[in-house]
Amino acid sequence: MKRFALLTLLFVLAVSSSAYAVDSAGPQSRNLGKDANNMTWYLTDYGVNYGVPYATVRKYFTNPSIKQETINQLVSYYGLAPDKAKMLYFTEYGYEYTGDGTQFATSFMCYYDFLGNDLLSIYYDNSSEAYQKVFVNVTPNTPQSKGYAYAVGILR
């Protein structure tokens, strides 16, 4: 019985340490600071996939008026139930960049509550006119510009 317990413990340690190694191999989350609207941004994933630089950022609603505007939009435009929309805590955005980093397109927007439960997800996959990826210019010193810099290794 002791041998079984020891083997089980060793197995659990081996699995958890290999899972840690996989997690630590990926990009580290970065605090990108606050924007002009006092919203807090974090970079959670970045890199180059199939030759396309990308970044995933989170916007935490640290400005109550912007949060309320977003809740109103979730209800009126996307039809999210008001009681569900009021649980909004952060939005995660996926950005794809042109090779030179001068433009980006939003590839997805996912709205989450405090527990990380998905309230609403929108993916721009060019499947219809409403879901086209639209490239716009990158403004210097924004979460989008910092995401590109991390994606291509300018910032580490």
Side-chain angles (χ1 to χ4, degrees):
M1 186 68 162
K2 288 183 182 179
R3 184 176 178 169
F4 177 76
L6 181 60
L7 288 173
T8 304
L9 177 63
L10 289 173
F11 176 76
V12 169
L13 287 173
V15 168
S16 63
S17 63
S18 64
Y20 174 76
V22 170
D23 283 347
S24 63
Q28 292 182 339
S29 180
R30 308 284 183 182
N31 182 340
L32 299 178
K34 293 189 177 189
D35 65 14
N37 294 316
N38 202 33
M39 303 294 277
T40 303
W41 292 78
Y42 285 89
L43 180 66
T44 60
D45 191 19
Y46 51 92
V48 178
N49 195 13
Y50 299 105
V52 178
Y54 73 91
T56 302
V57 297
R58 285 185 181 176
K59 175 175 70 174
Y60 285 88
F61 289 92
T62 49
N63 179 328
S65 63
I66 300 287
K67 179 178 180 176
Q68 189 57 55
E69 287 175 23
T70 305
I71 289 169
N72 293 344
Q73 182 183 21
L74 291 173
V75 172
S76 64
Y77 189 77
Y78 294 108
L80 194 63
D83 58 327
K84 193 172 181 180
K86 287 180 184 176
M87 299 175 75
L88 178 66
Y89 187 61
F90 68 90
T91 301
E92 196 164 71
Y93 299 91
Y95 298 130
E96 294 178 3
Y97 299 91
T98 55
D100 62 2
T102 59
Q103 294 188 313
F104 75 98
T106 302
S107 56
F108 66 84
M109 295 185 304
C110 299
Y111 299 87
Y112 295 94
D113 67 12
F114 185 75
L115 298 174
N117 297 315
D118 186 15
L119 300 173
L120 176 71
S121 293
I122 302 161
Y123 293 90
Y124 298 95
D125 55 9
N126 297 337
S127 61
S128 70
E129 191 172 315
Y131 294 100
Q132 292 290 311
K133 292 179 190 171
V134 177
F135 282 86
V136 295
N137 291 333
V138 173
T139 303
N141 223 9
T142 60
Q144 296 81 9
S145 67
K146 293 173 186 176
Y148 175 78
Y150 278 103
V152 298
I154 295 170
L155 292 177
R156 294 188 187 275

